[in-house]
Amino acid sequence: MEWDLLEKTTFWIDNIELTDADLGRVAAAAAAALELPAREVMVVDVRPGLVAFDILRRRVRAEAVAGKEKEILRRLAELPGVTLKPGAAVHSEGVLGLIALEPEEAARVLKETVTLARDISRAVARRAIVFASGAEVIAGKIKDTNSPYIIAALEKAGYQARFGGILEDDAVAAANRLEGALEEGYGLIITTGGVGAEDKDFSIEAILRLDPEACTPWILKFKPDYHRHHKEGVRIAVGRVGLAYLVALPGPHEEARLGCDRLLSGLEQGLEKDALAEYIAGALRERWRSVMKEGGHEHGIPGHCR
């Protein structure tokens, strides 16, 4: 289990004296006690009776931090030029404060934390929010039939779901709305529409702003004409930020229904991000193959992620 240090990356030791000590070895000893590479811990301050360290990463393994005070002090005491006086102790704020726990207490805290994290993860995973997109929906020219269907399907599958509103045809504005949903603790964030080739379609780009490694498989590909079509085709997206999935589905109702049903099936199977994206995209491509075959065309259907 990993903990986010939330900018509280410094810890210090009091009642310690250094005399011609090698600060590199001092930092490396503290790093080893915390099961970190030597390069990720550095000494940032040395004063009479005090040495301060900084961890050069945002996240740490909980098991490697909690209850490690005695191990840190033991390793430092073995170094030439380091003297620990009576009462030497490790101090910090935030998560790193757990270094000072006794090993038995640390084990109890870790066990409780794992249980709490599991409960939180399950609760977040079952909170869903659905966004429509497009100026046409905002203006009332097009009825949003997708959101009611998706919300009903989510609730039937055991999710707590609600409508989040309509996203503007702007990547930054849409990304800000999705980020707000992340901050509110939604574990499944779905958009419909805005995945096509027009210059007003930005749902894919919005998700990529939040997860640059989102999987964005093509559903259809064609050569842009730069009149109506400014992109190479139609894609969906599945991104992951922390505990949450962000999913961009097509706007046409039949495709949104198919994508939603496939999404829920894939989540039930426990598919990870890339596999889930391809699982959804595969069904949508197959639908388009059938449509195009009926119309005498069988081209432009890709079969790969991104």
Side-chain angles (χ1 to χ4, degrees), residues 12-17 47-51 73 83-89 91:
W12 64 94
I13 300 171
D14 59 12
N15 293 311
I16 182 174
E17 296 292 345
R47 304 181 187 184
L50 182 144
V51 178
L73 297 177
T83 302
L84 297 182
K85 297 181 178 181
H91 304 274

Side-chain angles (χ1 to χ4, degrees), residues 119-250:
D119 291 344
I120 291 173
S121 179
R122 287 173 179 167
V124 169
R126 287 290 169 176
R127 297 189 71 228
I129 187 167
V130 181
F131 292 93
S133 68
E136 300 95 333
V137 183
I138 293 175
K141 295 180 180 180
I142 298 176
K143 183 178 179 181
D144 175 23
T145 56
N146 294 336
S147 299
Y149 175 85
I150 294 172
I151 290 170
L154 287 165
E155 291 176 341
K156 185 177 180 180
Y159 289 80
Q160 296 179 354
R162 77 172 186 87
F163 181 55
I166 305 168
L167 301 177
E168 297 178 40
D169 291 332
D170 179 275
V172 175
N176 289 341
R177 294 280 297 280
L178 299 182
E179 188 172 29
L182 288 171
E183 293 172 353
E184 291 173 18
Y186 287 96
L188 180 57
I189 300 168
I190 301 172
T191 70
T192 63
V195 302
E198 297 182 27
D199 58 1
K200 64 182 181 61
D201 292 325
F202 288 110
S203 293
I204 303 297
E205 290 80 359
I207 288 179
L208 286 170
R209 291 181 72 90
L210 300 175
D211 176 12
E213 299 301 318
C215 187
T216 60
W218 295 98
I219 306 304
L220 286 170
K221 291 200 76 174
F222 40 75
K223 186 176 180 179
D225 58 19
Y226 298 103
H227 293 289
R228 181 185 176 196
H229 296 147
H230 292 254
K231 303 176 188 178
E232 295 181 67
V234 178
R235 294 187 284 175
I236 64 163
V238 177
R240 188 81 185 264
V241 178
L243 300 174
Y245 278 105
L246 298 100
V247 182
L249 296 177

Side-chain angles (χ1 to χ4, degrees), residues 224-302:
D225 58 19
Y226 298 103
H227 293 289
R228 181 185 176 196
H229 296 147
H230 292 254
K231 303 176 188 178
E232 295 181 67
V234 178
R235 294 187 284 175
I236 64 163
V238 177
R240 188 81 185 264
V241 178
L243 300 174
Y245 278 105
L246 298 100
V247 182
L249 296 177
H253 186 61
E254 291 304 314
E255 295 174 41
R257 286 171 58 106
L258 178 59
C260 172
D261 295 347
R262 197 77 162 182
L263 167 63
L264 292 175
S265 174
L267 289 172
E268 185 67 24
Q269 295 175 49
L271 298 182
E272 294 297 327
K273 178 172 69 176
D274 288 5
L276 180 59
E278 290 295 345
Y279 185 64
I280 299 168
L284 293 169
R285 292 189 199 113
E286 188 58 38
R287 178 181 183 278
W288 271 102
R289 284 193 182 95
S290 298
V291 170
M292 296 179 77
K293 188 173 182 180
E294 290 175 5
H297 303 281
E298 278 193 277
H299 62 277
I301 308 294

